[in-house]
Amino acid sequence: MALAVSLRRVNGEIDRLTRAFASAHGLHPTDVSALAMVLDADRPVTPGMLGARLGLTSGAVTACLGRLERAGHIRRTRDEVDRRVVRVVYVDEARLAARAFFRPLAVAGERARVRFEDAELAVVLRFLDAFSEELARLDEPPR
């Protein structure tokens, strides 16, 4: 139970910072979730992938991407092989704004990290990765 409470607290604090970033940049919190997905993806992201992951309609994804593009965070490109496929790309210059805003988060993470040995952190990382994998396997959130 304590683990679940701690994870909810961490999630709540990250949500608070995400909402502040969204507000400061004229975005919706969902836009920041889409932006994080693009930034953290290990392969090119398409609008369809964003919609499926975030539970958005194609119209909502289009509006989200429009806001992110106007704010200078992403750009849409066409696939080189199949020009019908749209890829969403994080704009490198936007990293500076995100880094500046989220720098306190990184500093807080570093202050917490130095309290632990490398072996302890390895276990925490393994747990978080495993937990993320299990959550990703849920086709839709529990009702």
Side-chain angles (χ1 to χ4, degrees):
M1 187 68 160
L3 180 62
V5 170
S6 290
L7 287 170
R8 279 195 304 273
R9 285 181 181 157
V10 168
N11 188 57
E13 291 303 322
I14 290 172
D15 281 350
R16 180 178 61 84
L17 294 169
T18 298
R19 286 190 308 274
F21 180 82
S23 178
H25 290 267
L27 301 171
H28 186 278
T30 301
D31 301 345
V32 181
S33 295
L35 191 59
M37 186 177 162
V38 171
L39 183 61
D40 295 340
D42 55 0
R43 61 189 168 114
V45 175
T46 66
M49 291 166 64
L50 286 171
R53 182 76 176 150
L54 298 173
L56 300 175
T57 64
S58 62
V61 170
T62 299
C64 170
L65 293 177
R67 288 188 297 270
L68 289 171
E69 228 169 11
R70 285 188 299 279
H73 292 285
I74 60 108
R75 63 184 160 78
R76 290 176 261 199
T77 63
R78 296 279 175 185
D79 186 83
E80 294 290 323
V81 176
D82 185 347
R83 303 291 294 160
R84 296 171 297 175
V85 176
V86 174
R87 304 276 185 222
V88 181
V89 180
Y90 195 86
V91 175
D92 285 335
E93 296 79 24
R95 291 179 200 276
L96 298 175
R99 281 188 184 134
F101 192 91
F102 286 106
R103 183 76 186 135
L105 177 63
V107 169
E110 181 60 16
R111 284 196 312 258
R113 187 196 65 75
V114 299
R115 297 181 201 167
F116 298 87
E117 300 293 325
D118 287 346
E120 293 174 304
L121 290 170
V123 171
V124 171
L125 187 58
R126 265 188 24 244
F127 168 77
L128 291 174
D129 287 345
F131 189 43
S132 291
E133 288 171 15
E134 292 301 324
L135 290 175
R137 287 187 180 131
L138 297 176
D139 289 334
E140 62 180 70
R143 297 186 191 272

